[in-house]
Amino acid sequence: MVKKAKVKKTKKAPRRASKKKPKAARSKIWRVIGGLCAIVAVVFLIWVVYLDFEVRSKFDGRKWALPARVYAQPLELYVGQQLTAADLKAELSALEYQQVTYVKRSGQWSARSSNEFEIYIRGFAIADDVESDRYLRLRIANSQIVSLKGEAGGSVPLARLEPPLIGGIYPKQREDRSLVQLHEVPALLGETLIAIEDRAFVDHWGVSPRAIARAMLVNMKSGRIVQGGSTLTQQLVKNFFLDQSRSLSRKLTEAVMSVLLELHYSKAEILETYLNEIYLGQSGPREIHGFGLAAKHYFRRPVQQLEVHEIALLIGLVKGASYYNPWRNPERALGRRNLVIDVMLDQELIGVSQAKTAKSKSLGVVSASKRRLHDYPAFIDLVKRQLREDYSAEELNSEGLKIYSTMSLRAQGHVERALTERLKSLESAYKATGLQGAVVLAAVGSGEVEAVVGDRNTQFSGFNRALDARRSIGSLIKPVVYLTALQNGYNLASKISDAPVSVKGPDGKLWQPRNFDRISHGDVFLIDALTQSYNLAAARLGMDVGLGKVWETMQSMGVEVETSVTPAMLLGSVSLTPMEVLGLYHVLANDGVKTPMRAIRTVVDAQNHHLNRYPLEIEQVVDLEAAHLIQFAMQNVMQEGTGRGVYQQLPRELMLAGKTGTTNNQRDSWFAGFSGQHIAVAWIGKDDNSITPLTGSSGALRVWRDVFRRLPTQGLALSQGGDIEYLWVDKETGGLSDENCMGARRLPFETGQTPDFNAQCQRRKNPISHWFDKWLR
Amino acid sequence: MFEFKKVRLLGGLILMTLVGCETTQPRYEPVYYPAVIDEAERSQPTPAPVKSTVEPVSTQSVTALLEQEARKEFDSQEWQRTIVVAERGLRVDRRNAEFYWLIARSYLNLDNINQAKAFAEQGLRYARQGSRLARDLQGLLSAP
């Protein structure tokens, strides 16, 4: 039995094996397939987990690298503030205030008359410095605010407009956006976007099979890709996480990521990100992303203030910002905009009359010439340089810092216009070509730089002459020479020689300077030598006082360049940039106090937390008395000397102070001067350092004058402090004289430095009648 | 007689013209192309300059407000805020000794002795001689 059984068993075994073989093979295949599926599933799972990590880490973290934004100084409004009606309007326009008939809410203004305005100012906060929304009524007369009142008619001592945005510091990719939150976006914009791009947005889970099927059908019918089936979520994923390729794997990744995104985030969060991410145009090298920035780019208005036709245009651009570019292809853009308006009407987002009105409007984009958002490369360059000490490039172009600069929009505008227009007119008058120029302007006292122009093409962002063109300063050095003398025992009535000078240099060559008029003027008053810019007198005086002392004065006033201290230095062989000259002359304007020229007030982070403040720093480097005397002498330059051309167009009562500078063969034309409130330096020359037909008076001075003709400023009142007394001296001998003596002139002297002899007096009038006249005055 | 008067009158006019020429300021740094420049100047109608403020409207109300605000910050021992507000005041009136005093005292409290002294020194230049403010500023200068 056992054997039988064994036999049976052995007999049956091969049969069973033969039956089992395909089964086992099948099972093996299935196992392999199962294994492969499991592997694929695991890989897929790992991939999905990876994508999930990618989606969440990017979406939860900082979504975009935000460039630093640079703002101009806020316009302060108070009675006595220097301001023209035109400048106020320009500032309001830059801030995108809306001109209306009746002011009702913040961001609006109206003109009651040519010099009376109502403004509802917008509130703002720079860290803990807060300005609230408020209604103001102000009146301007003689280029200054003479009345400032609030809603109830009560006086308002001080108010501010928010700081205007003037530029940014961008990464190489130059992707720019102005973030908006969903609640800031008009409902119509969001609804229209959904109606145009993804009607099932609120229902789907990231992908819409129905939309894909519909798109496939349309594409098959037309034989090419005319419609996409992507949802808004997929579009966002494509732009935000992926590249622009069209492979199957990329489409799959896009679909999975879209589902993951929908799984983790609300529709509102997805829509808000989309509104900030989408590419909507180009401004030069900058890419305009998001509706916040696009609204400013195309209409110069915040997105909240857009009208129906403007919203329609922006939504239309989503399909192709370049193809529908309203400046390049206005017809195409208009067609697209009207199509969007039709959809708005079709979806009952607007009424028939609204649609009709919207369609009747022109595109409404700002003129092509004004479409650049930021036009101040030379000033931004200065800001960047001053920030470099405290911030890395990475921090500046990615962390959304807000930099509040010292630029005055009004001053910058006047400086730009003055330089470009004057250079054109000079070239035309002299049949010259290739003139270039630079102007820098600052507030006296604070040392805040208010305007910088480094090229006649003010939007050119290359070589910045204001900061980098180091040129011989010529006679601009003379006030420093005379200041040194005044600090070393000389007074304004000291007689100095303007006789020919001949000095043998270390190389054996003779240095023989000449006056501009080629004439030697004998012995002259110190003040007159400066007023008439006599080279021989300046050279002699500088050598008498000592070259070392003159150079020490220069250094104490902030000049840090290296130069050879030779007699030629006394006539301006030393080379400085316009910005360095500004710092030097600011000491003279600021009563002898040195202050670093600042372009930044404060820096806050993206969350408006205070990071850095750049405070006023001062150092007294020149006595108040010497500063008073040199200011008086420089006022004389403007009244009677080489700067007198200024008063052809400006009122003499301003009592401006300044100095012209012309270098050898008229290669450089300089002018530096100041009022009681502003100081500016202008330079004109050629980049190849060739000869120009211009002197300081005929070139740079005219640019400077053009600036101050448009910029309201305070007259220069000399400081009343210090031991200064005004005395009458004889114009020939310099001896003490009297008001009633022929040839007497009144000059300031430092107590103890007054003339020590009396001049002979030939009286003009009978002393009694003179006394009587004086008493009557 | 009448003819003689006319001749004298004419002579007088010529003399006055000559005197007028004589008193005209001489040209220094003569311009190389004066005729061209004049034409260029004439070809452009010169717009009227803005009426720069020779006699400015008083800014007393705004400086008084800022002094008050800076004092308030100072009393609250907010030294940095005091400096910010006082600097704002100096932008309106750069020779206001009171703002210099507030900044100097704030820097002293922040242990920045150099700036405290620099601002005190500057304030002293603009303070009325013999005033209490001048004495306070002088006191700051002699701080250790």
Side-chain angles (χ1 to χ4, degrees):
Chain A
M1 262 316 267
V2 172
K3 199 178 176 183
K4 220 176 181 179
K6 264 187 183 174
V7 170
K8 266 185 184 172
K9 205 173 185 179
T10 49
K11 272 184 182 173
K12 272 181 184 173
R15 207 175 350 167
R16 198 183 288 170
S18 65
K19 267 187 181 175
K20 248 185 169 180
K21 200 173 180 180
K23 251 189 183 179
R26 273 202 303 274
S27 149
K28 202 174 174 183
I29 290 166
W30 279 115
R31 275 205 303 276
V32 170
I33 290 170
L36 279 173
C37 281
I39 290 169
V40 169
V42 168
V43 170
F44 181 75
L45 200 69
I46 292 170
W47 181 59
V48 170
V49 169
Y50 165 74
L51 291 181
D52 190 61
F53 173 77
E54 280 278 293
V55 164
R56 284 201 288 173
S57 62
K58 195 165 177 190
F59 222 76
D60 287 340
R62 198 181 66 201
K63 290 191 178 82
W64 297 282
L66 294 176
R69 304 234 167 257
V70 184
Y71 295 85
Q73 58 172 269
L75 174 60
E76 304 231 355
L77 304 170
Y78 54 85
V79 171
Q81 165 73 303
Q82 309 284 312
L83 187 69
T84 63
D87 284 346
L88 176 65
K89 285 183 200 169
E91 189 93 15
L92 290 169
S93 161
L95 288 169
E96 295 149 8
Y97 272 58
Q98 213 180 349
Q99 186 175 8
V100 292
T101 314
Y102 299 104
V103 170
K104 287 177 190 157
R105 58 172 189 271
S106 64
Q108 295 183 330
W109 71 280
S110 77
R112 310 276 297 178
S113 66
S114 61
N115 60 355
E116 201 167 346
F117 302 89
E118 282 182 296
I119 309 169
Y120 208 129
I121 62 171
R122 289 191 203 114
F124 65 95
I126 303 170
D128 53 355
D129 188 5
V130 181
E131 188 80 37
S132 309
D133 285 18
R134 69 204 296 192
Y135 168 90
L136 293 173
R137 188 169 179 161
L138 67 86
R139 197 157 58 81
I140 293 172
N142 288 334
S143 306
Q144 60 187 328
I145 299 174
V146 291
S147 164
L148 184 64
K149 294 197 158 97
E151 201 154 14
S155 291
V156 174
L158 182 59
R160 279 179 298 182
L161 296 178
E162 74 258 42
L165 179 68
I166 54 166
I169 299 173
Y170 302 97
K172 277 183 190 153
Q173 199 186 343
R174 299 186 74 88
E175 192 174 289
D176 197 12
R177 54 176 49 77
S178 178
L179 295 184
V180 286
Q181 291 182 312
L182 197 56
H183 66 83
E184 296 171 320
V185 178
L188 180 64
L189 194 153
E191 286 163 355
T192 311
L193 180 71
I194 290 169
I196 295 285
E197 294 295 321
D198 182 7
R199 281 183 203 179
F201 177 68
V202 288
D203 301 318
H204 63 63
W205 279 84
V207 287
S208 172
R210 194 187 293 174
I212 294 170
R214 191 176 56 235
M216 277 175 69
L217 202 68
V218 171
N219 293 342
M220 278 166 67
K221 271 186 191 167
S222 62
R224 59 194 178 94
I225 296 171
V226 290
Q227 191 177 51
S230 293
T231 62
L232 275 184
T233 318
Q234 282 174 285
Q235 289 181 39
L236 174 63
V237 165
K238 187 177 76 181
N239 294 327
F240 198 59
F241 299 99
L242 306 172
D243 56 30
Q244 299 296 315
S245 65
R246 288 188 159 200
S247 67
L248 195 65
S249 65
R250 214 232 355 110
K251 283 301 263 183
L252 184 66
T253 311
E254 180 189 295
V256 174
M257 286 180 114
S258 300
V259 173
L260 289 170
L261 203 60
E262 295 270 352
L263 209 64
H264 291 299
Y265 303 97
S266 68
K267 292 283 182 186
E269 284 172 293
I270 292 168
L271 185 61
E272 184 179 285
T273 311
Y274 183 95
L275 291 169
N276 285 305
E277 169 61 32
I278 190 72
Y279 170 78
L280 289 169
Q282 200 79 25
S283 171
R286 290 171 55 236
E287 294 175 8
I288 306 297
H289 285 256
F291 285 88
L293 191 60
K296 289 177 186 164
H297 177 59
Y298 291 104
F299 306 111
R300 283 281 162 114
R301 292 227 301 280
V303 70
Q304 297 92 321
Q305 292 179 7
L306 293 184
E307 293 177 34
V308 173
H309 66 289
E310 295 163 339
I311 289 174
L313 179 65
L314 291 190
I315 301 282
L317 290 173
V318 171
K319 196 177 177 191
S322 177
Y323 187 77
Y324 294 109
N325 183 323
W327 288 296
R328 275 209 312 267
N329 308 308
E331 289 299 319
R332 208 182 276 166
L334 193 72
R336 177 74 185 158
R337 184 201 74 173
N338 290 345
L339 188 76
V340 175
I341 293 172
D342 287 340
V343 174
M344 285 172 163
L345 179 65
D346 186 49
Q347 295 293 306
E348 297 178 355
L349 300 174
I350 55 172
V352 178
S353 65
Q354 262 183 305
K356 203 174 164 188
T357 311
K359 274 189 168 182
S360 69
K361 294 197 172 174
S362 64
L363 286 171
V365 289
V366 294
S367 68
S369 60
K370 289 182 182 169
R371 73 177 194 237
R372 285 176 69 95
L373 288 171
H374 312 302
D375 299 322
Y376 313 106
F379 192 92
I380 300 288
D381 185 22
L382 176 65
V383 169
K384 275 196 224 171
R385 293 186 200 202
Q386 296 197 352
L387 282 169
R388 235 177 249 164
E389 289 178 14
D390 299 312
Y391 299 93
S392 66
E394 169 72 17
E395 285 171 314
L396 288 175
N397 59 35
S398 68
E399 296 197 353
L401 302 181
K402 287 179 182 166
I403 294 144
Y404 293 96
S405 80
T406 57
M407 184 213 264
S408 154
L409 264 192
R410 295 153 287 150
Q412 179 73 27
H414 295 317
V415 165
E416 286 182 358
R417 195 172 150 202
L419 183 69
T420 49
E421 287 181 1
R422 182 52 71 176
L423 285 184
K424 259 188 224 164
S425 111
L426 287 170
E427 282 185 341
S428 140
Y430 289 104
K431 309 281 181 283
T433 53
L435 288 180
Q436 262 297 356
V439 184
V440 281
L441 182 141
V444 174
S446 66
E448 292 189 339
V449 180
E450 293 192 352
V452 180
V453 178
D455 192 291
R456 64 185 301 174
N457 174 4
T458 57
Q459 295 184 3
F460 177 71
S461 62
F463 182 56
N464 189 348
R465 288 162 195 81
L467 311 185
D468 296 323
R470 198 174 290 283
R471 307 291 287 247
S472 299
I473 60 171
S475 297
L476 287 193
I477 201 173
K478 285 176 185 163
V480 182
V481 176
Y482 288 89
L483 176 68
T484 312
L486 291 167
Q487 289 180 302
N488 285 276
Y490 286 81
N491 62 44
L492 294 181
S494 295
K495 284 278 189 170
I496 56 175
S497 168
D498 188 53
V501 173
S502 184
V503 179
K504 201 171 189 179
D507 55 354
K509 281 185 184 169
L510 281 180
W511 180 66
Q512 293 176 307
R514 286 183 299 184
N515 281 331
F516 195 85
D517 57 6
R518 311 282 197 267
I519 298 167
S520 165
H521 302 88
D523 288 348
V524 291
F525 275 5
L526 183 145
I527 187 172
D528 295 330
L530 177 62
T531 301
Q532 312 306 348
S533 202
Y534 293 150
N535 288 336
L536 301 177
R540 282 181 169 277
L541 182 68
M543 285 189 287
D544 284 350
V545 174
L547 297 178
K549 280 188 179 165
V550 173
W551 187 239
E552 273 173 31
T553 308
M554 287 278 281
Q555 287 179 313
S556 73
M557 292 168 77
V559 172
E560 291 175 348
V561 296
E562 290 193 2
T563 190
S564 50
V565 181
T566 61
M569 177 194 85
L570 299 167
L571 299 182
S573 65
V574 56
S575 296
L576 297 177
T577 66
M579 185 55 79
E580 286 166 342
V581 174
L582 183 75
L584 180 72
Y585 268 65
H586 184 259
V587 177
L588 303 174
N590 195 26
D591 302 335
V593 174
K594 185 171 78 176
T595 299
M597 296 286 102
R598 293 177 297 157
I600 307 162
R601 284 186 183 168
T602 191
V603 178
V604 301
D605 66 14
Q607 287 72 44
N608 205 20
H609 296 136
H610 194 258
L611 290 180
N612 270 75
R613 208 177 77 74
Y614 294 80
L616 174 64
E617 290 171 11
I618 60 171
E619 184 189 351
Q620 188 189 318
V621 294
V622 177
D623 298 338
L624 188 55
E625 291 79 10
H628 185 118
L629 298 179
I630 200 69
Q631 282 183 3
F632 182 91
M634 290 169 75
Q635 284 179 326
N636 212 47
V637 172
M638 305 295 267
Q639 296 281 349
E640 300 173 10
T642 52
R644 67 187 182 282
V646 158
Y647 290 122
Q648 287 167 3
Q649 293 182 12
L650 291 172
R652 281 184 178 269
E653 294 79 2
L654 278 176
M655 297 299 289
L656 302 161
K659 185 72 193 81
T660 51
T662 313
T663 60
N664 286 350
N665 298 321
Q666 303 183 169
R667 293 173 199 277
D668 302 279
S669 164
W670 286 95
F671 188 79
F674 47 90
S675 68
Q677 192 182 2
H678 296 105
I679 175 167
V681 176
W683 168 84
I684 298 176
K686 290 188 177 178
D687 283 344
D688 60 4
N689 203 21
S690 59
I691 294 166
T692 76
L694 304 169
T695 63
S697 307
S698 61
L701 178 138
R702 287 161 189 244
V703 174
W704 191 96
R705 183 178 67 190
D706 292 346
V707 173
F708 279 77
R709 205 176 62 209
R710 297 181 181 115
L711 182 73
T713 192
Q714 283 172 12
L716 173 61
L718 300 187
S719 168
Q720 298 299 307
D723 294 326
I724 290 286
E725 52 188 313
Y726 277 75
L727 300 170
W728 289 93
V729 293
D730 181 62
K731 73 173 184 184
E732 295 301 327
T733 64
L736 288 169
S737 184
D738 183 82
E739 185 182 5
N740 193 28
C741 296
M742 297 283 274
R745 63 192 289 193
R746 195 164 176 260
L747 294 177
F749 293 90
E750 185 178 350
T751 308
Q753 303 276 0
T754 54
D756 54 3
F757 65 99
N758 290 322
Q760 283 190 336
C761 179
Q762 193 185 342
R763 301 204 181 279
R764 294 178 213 249
K765 288 190 214 166
N766 180 297
I768 295 168
S769 73
H770 172 69
W771 176 87
F772 192 70
D773 287 350
K774 206 173 155 184
W775 183 76
L776 277 178
R777 279 208 301 268
Chain B
M1 189 65 185
F2 179 69
E3 282 300 312
F4 181 64
K5 266 188 180 173
K6 271 172 76 176
V7 169
R8 271 175 56 186
L9 187 65
L10 194 65
L13 279 171
I14 291 167
L15 195 65
M16 279 165 72
T17 311
L18 287 173
V19 168
C21 291
E22 185 61 30
T23 53
T24 305
Q25 293 293 334
R27 296 182 76 92
Y28 303 101
E29 275 201 15
V31 175
Y32 272 26
Y33 306 89
V36 180
I37 269 290
D38 287 342
E39 269 173 33
E41 290 286 296
R42 272 198 298 274
S43 67
Q44 284 190 327
T46 305
V50 292
K51 287 183 181 169
S52 291
T53 310
V54 178
E55 287 177 26
V57 171
S58 169
T59 54
Q60 207 179 351
S61 62
V62 66
T63 48
L65 175 85
L66 289 170
E67 265 180 42
Q68 197 184 328
E69 273 186 28
R71 281 264 173 202
K72 211 166 96 184
E73 300 288 358
F74 185 81
D75 293 341
S76 314
Q77 304 192 348
E78 293 283 348
W79 315 127
Q80 286 292 359
R81 284 287 309 154
T82 308
I83 294 168
V84 169
V85 179
E87 275 187 21
R88 204 173 160 197
L90 284 179
R91 285 200 288 270
V92 179
D93 178 5
R94 69 184 171 96
R95 288 175 176 161
N96 185 312
E98 181 78 24
F99 291 127
Y100 283 102
W101 181 85
L102 283 160
I103 297 175
R105 279 300 306 264
S106 299
Y107 274 125
L108 193 67
N109 290 325
L110 289 166
D111 288 332
N112 187 341
I113 308 297
N114 283 343
Q115 278 302 290
K117 289 196 173 185
F119 276 92
E121 198 172 3
Q122 183 70 347
L124 201 55
R125 289 168 143 204
Y126 303 134
R128 198 158 41 82
Q129 277 191 342
S131 64
R132 189 178 160 188
L133 186 58
R135 285 199 298 278
D136 288 348
L137 287 160
Q138 190 64 56
L140 278 172
L141 274 180
S142 51

